[in-house]
Amino acid sequence: MKGVVFTEFMEMVEETFSPEILDTIIEKSDLPNDGAYTAVGTYDHQEIVRMASNLSEQVQLPVSDLLEVFGKHLFSRFTVLFPSFFSQEQTAFKFLKNIDSYIHVEVKKLYPEAEFPRFFYEQTSPATLVLYYLSSRHFEDLAVGLVKGCLLHFKQELKVTKENASYENEAAIKITISP
Ligand code: HEM
């Protein structure tokens, strides 16, 4: 996982909780580099899972809620860090349909060692978009947070639900975005 995800996670912890809580979770998470991440480095994604689990213990909130909060934060940071992916005439649905075929493809050119999930989508009605998330890393709560961050960015008030499903016989998480 790219360092940018780690540095943004730490920023979220510091801003949403406190610098002391950040120090505590860095200490408890037994990080090989003592929490010194650089945005361009690549690190084991389990380190973020450990930090999220220690944060959950510290602040008494479920890991799934924390990853969702992080996803929202990350999306708003992406709008600043990657402005070229955002244009005037976009909508949340157009943007989300492009993650797999365009956004992650472009990000991969910048960071060749990055590992992305796969997404498939079905627009089941004009107001409903279904995303299938496939990844061995199981960051579906992060994905839900990113989707919610995307809806906030485009000022669209829609519900987001997730459930276990399959896509062409592969295990997938079905994320439904609807009124
Ligand atoms: C401007 C928009 C976006 C950018 C620049 C971006 C970039 C990235 C980057 C850099 C990573 C880390 C990959 C690695 O280090 O190995 C990542 C992973 C990920 N992205 Fe995106 N992304 C964007 C939008 C989205 C959206 C909208 C979603 C949600 C539907 C999403 C879902 C994910 C997930 C869940 C991961 C974690 C890896 C995994 O699940 O296997 N991304 N993305």
Side-chain angles (χ1 to χ4, degrees), residues 17 52-53 55-57 59-69 141:
F17 301 102
S53 143
L55 178 62
S56 161
E57 219 168 82
V59 302
Q60 295 292 303
L61 287 171
V63 170
S64 56
D65 289 8
L66 294 167
L67 287 179
E68 218 185 283
V69 169
D141 298 310

Side-chain angles (χ1 to χ4, degrees), residues 1-2 78 82 99 103-104 114-115 119 133 135 137 146:
M1 183 85 88
K2 294 308 298 176
F78 282 160
F82 302 92
I99 309 166
I103 295 186
H104 282 167
E115 293 175 293
F119 282 101
Y133 163 89
S135 169
R137 289 172 292 280
L146 284 159

Side-chain angles (χ1 to χ4, degrees), residues 18-34:
S18 71
E20 292 73 27
I21 288 182
L22 176 61
D23 286 344
T24 310
I25 68 160
I26 289 175
E27 227 167 85
K28 291 201 162 178
S29 302
D30 183 25
L31 307 171
N33 40 10
D34 287 330

